[in-house]
């Protein structure tokens, strides 16, 4: 795969990669904080678990949003004569980034409804 | 369900086996449905408290919603297959796919997720003024401890949970051997009992009655026979029960009961069982101080009486193969009757 195509595919999957990283960090950090009884610690007045989930979720949402905007920009620049794979990848990128925004939010919501170490 | 089970074994007046025609099968099915109906001592569809009611509504909404969506999708699928091409064309349009395939699931799941989480959260809220009970799951029975509360002393019982109506109850659960799960369908949700970890579940019984709890996590051979009784009493009756349970075991007052107590001692039952007020102090098995006051024996398996107690002592490994208590088949009939009568007298 050429460097250009690699970049296109990475952009297409950026939202999903952000979700996977957010998922891993939330689970690892929450398990560690709760397991070692550090969950009561605070960061800038916010509980450590909530702070980690919040920061990770905001960062992941940012990556997914940037990927959505960039995919739209790329798709807008493609003319009618563009190659079918290019059009498909940019459209899939928009769809995947949009869905990633939703699932990243879903992944973060439980921390703010359930007790930190439920 | 036993009625249905017996139906299959019935014979005709001629002694021929009852033939299971399609109509008979349908009758059995309808019968089974009605017998396993919505109400009963072990039914999540008959909530007896606010916590169970919240779970009931969540179940109802998800079941009905899921059914309606399934029917809608199936209908659209059949329409897509059988409708004329010009009439089904709208199904393949981008707008249909975006609205039906993306927006609709996102909206539905975005609503269900917080709703389900809120129901989940509310089963773990520390309730002020709650009755505290500690339950330990063991293969294949339930150790139930009522901790000291003010002037009320601590005591233990087994395989039954007696609770006051209208007062929140907080049950802390753990396990001694493998993972079990504590579930009283009429009163609340399930909570896993994990060795080395303490979980918590709160609920309130809002109507007096007898309910049944079960182990909801496969825990070994006799998992299906690991149940317990739940009795919700009016507060005054609960207080009286609690006061009675805190007392030591009553002394036997009849020769046959004295004989039973002596056999209990001689056979070494006290190595595994506690009978408070006597030298029996074994902590391995259920506390038998007031075993005669319990509704059932064998973790919810049999009504509690002299006959079932005697049968249990003599045949544990036949009734529940794999339980920790060995069968004591060496007792004579007279000895078993005395021993069972003594235990039954421990009210």
């Amino acid at each position: 795969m050429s460097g250009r195509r690699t970049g296109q595919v990475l952009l297409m999957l950026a939202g999903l990669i952000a979700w996977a990283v957010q998922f891993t960090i939330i689970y690892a950090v929450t398990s560690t904080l709760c397991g070692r009884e550090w969950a009561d610690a605070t960061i800038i007045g916010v509980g450590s678990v909530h702070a980690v989930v919040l920061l990770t979720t905001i960062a992941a949402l940012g990556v997914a949003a940037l990927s959505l905007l960039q995919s739209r920009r790329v798709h807008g620049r493609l003319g009618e004569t563009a190659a079918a794979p290019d059009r498909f990848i940019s459209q899939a990128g928009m769809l995947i980034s949009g869905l990633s925004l939703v699932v990243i939010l879903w992944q973060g919501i439980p921390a703010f409804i359930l007790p930190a170490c439920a | 369900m036993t009625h249905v089970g017996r139906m299959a074994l019935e014979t005709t007046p001629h002694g021929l086996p009852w033939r299971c025609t399609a109509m008979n099968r349908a009758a059995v099915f309808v019968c089974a449905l009605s017998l396993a109906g919505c109400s009963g001592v072990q039914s999540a569809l008959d909530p007896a408290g606010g916590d169970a009611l919240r779970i009931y509504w969540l179940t109802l909404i998800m079941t009905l919603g899921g059914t309606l969506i399934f029917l809608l999708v199936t209908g659209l699928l059949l329409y897509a297959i059988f409708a004329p091409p010009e009439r089904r064309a709208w199904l393949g349009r981008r707008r249909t796919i975006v609205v039906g395939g993306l927006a609709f699931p996102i909206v539905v799941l975005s609503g269900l997720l917080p709703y389900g989480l809120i129901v989940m959260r509310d089963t773990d809220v520390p309730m002020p003024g709650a009755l505290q009970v500690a339950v330990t799951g063991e293969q294949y029975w339930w150790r139930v401890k009522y901790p000291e509360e003010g002037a009320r002393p601590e005591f233990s019982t087994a395989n039954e949970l007696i609770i006051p109506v209208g007062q929140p109850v907080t049950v802390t659960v753990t396990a001694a051997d493998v993972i079990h799960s504590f579930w009283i369908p009429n009163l609340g949700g399930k909570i896993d009992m994990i060795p080395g970890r303490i979980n918590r579940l709160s609920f309130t019984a809002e109507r007096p009655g007898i309910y049944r709890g079960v182990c909801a996590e496969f825990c070994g051979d006799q998992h299906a026979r690991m149940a317990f009784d739940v009795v919700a009493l009016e507060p005054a009756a609960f207080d009286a029960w609690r006061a009675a349970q805190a007392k030591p075991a009553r002394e036997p007052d009849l020769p046959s009961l004295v004989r039973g107590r002596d056999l209990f001692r001689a056979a070494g039952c006290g190595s595994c069982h506690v009978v408070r007020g006597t030298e029996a102090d074994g902590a391995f098995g259920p506390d038998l101080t007031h075993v005669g006051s319990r509704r059932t024996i064998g973790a919810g398996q049999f009504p509690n009486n002299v006959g079932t107690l005697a049968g249990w002592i003599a045949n544990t490994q036949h009734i529940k193969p794999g339980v920790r208590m060995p069968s004591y088949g060496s007792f004579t009939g007279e000895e078993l009757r005395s021993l069972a009568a003594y235990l039954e007298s421990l009210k």
Side-chain angles (χ1 to χ4, degrees), chain B residues 317-341:
Chain B
Q317 294 305 316
H318 176 73
I319 296 165
K320 276 176 88 168
V323 293
R324 299 282 185 256
M325 179 173 163
S327 296
Y328 285 83
S330 56
F331 286 119
T332 64
E334 178 274 327
E335 288 171 333
L336 273 177
R337 280 193 298 277
S338 300
L339 190 51

Side-chain angles (χ1 to χ4, degrees), chain B residues 265-304:
Chain B
R265 283 177 180 162
C269 305
S271 305
C272 292
H273 295 284
V274 173
V275 179
R276 277 179 283 120
T278 75
E279 70 281 9
D281 60 356
F284 191 66
D287 185 310
L288 300 181
T289 308
H290 296 289
V291 63
S293 68
R294 295 177 202 157
R295 294 185 68 254
T296 60
I297 61 162
Q301 297 314 298
F302 303 104
N304 188 4

Side-chain angles (χ1 to χ4, degrees), chain B residues 129-323:
Chain B
L131 170 74
Q132 302 293 323
V133 186
V135 181
T136 305
E138 307 198 19
Q139 290 176 309
Y140 301 94
W141 62 284
W142 311 82
R143 189 186 297 270
V144 182
K145 188 168 86 179
Y146 287 75
E148 185 181 335
E149 193 182 77
R152 299 162 157 185
E154 173 185 305
F155 66 88
S156 287
T157 179
N159 301 327
E160 69 172 13
L161 190 65
I162 310 293
I163 54 175
V165 170
Q167 182 185 351
V169 178
T170 296
V171 182
T172 53
V173 300
T174 188
D177 36 42
V178 299
I179 297 176
H180 301 272
S181 184
F182 177 95
W183 188 31
I184 311 167
N186 298 76
L187 294 176
K190 298 171 188 172
I191 189 87
D192 273 5
M193 312 172 94
I194 301 165
R197 182 185 163 96
I198 291 175
N199 284 336
R200 189 178 57 209
L201 179 76
S202 295
F203 57 86
T204 306
E206 286 164 13
R207 63 169 198 253
I210 295 167
Y211 309 101
R212 191 169 187 264
V214 289
C215 180
E217 183 79 41
F218 181 75
C219 57
D221 291 352
Q222 298 304 322
H223 159 69
R225 293 199 183 100
M226 183 174 164
F228 61 100
D229 298 293
V230 184
V231 184
L233 299 171
E234 293 296 350
F238 172 76
D239 290 340
W241 173 84
R242 183 168 185 154
Q245 290 289 311
K247 291 177 182 167
R250 56 179 286 188
E251 279 296 307
D253 51 3
L254 293 170
S256 64
L257 302 184
V258 172
R259 166 104 170 109
R261 185 198 56 195
D262 294 342
L263 285 163
F264 187 90
R265 283 177 180 162
C269 305
S271 305
C272 292
H273 295 284
V274 173
V275 179
R276 277 179 283 120
T278 75
E279 70 281 9
D281 60 356
F284 191 66
D287 185 310
L288 300 181
T289 308
H290 296 289
V291 63
S293 68
R294 295 177 202 157
R295 294 185 68 254
T296 60
I297 61 162
Q301 297 314 298
F302 303 104
N304 188 4
N305 57 52
V306 172
T308 53
L309 280 164
W312 175 256
I313 294 163
N315 284 301
T316 46
Q317 294 305 316
H318 176 73
I319 296 165
K320 276 176 88 168
V323 293

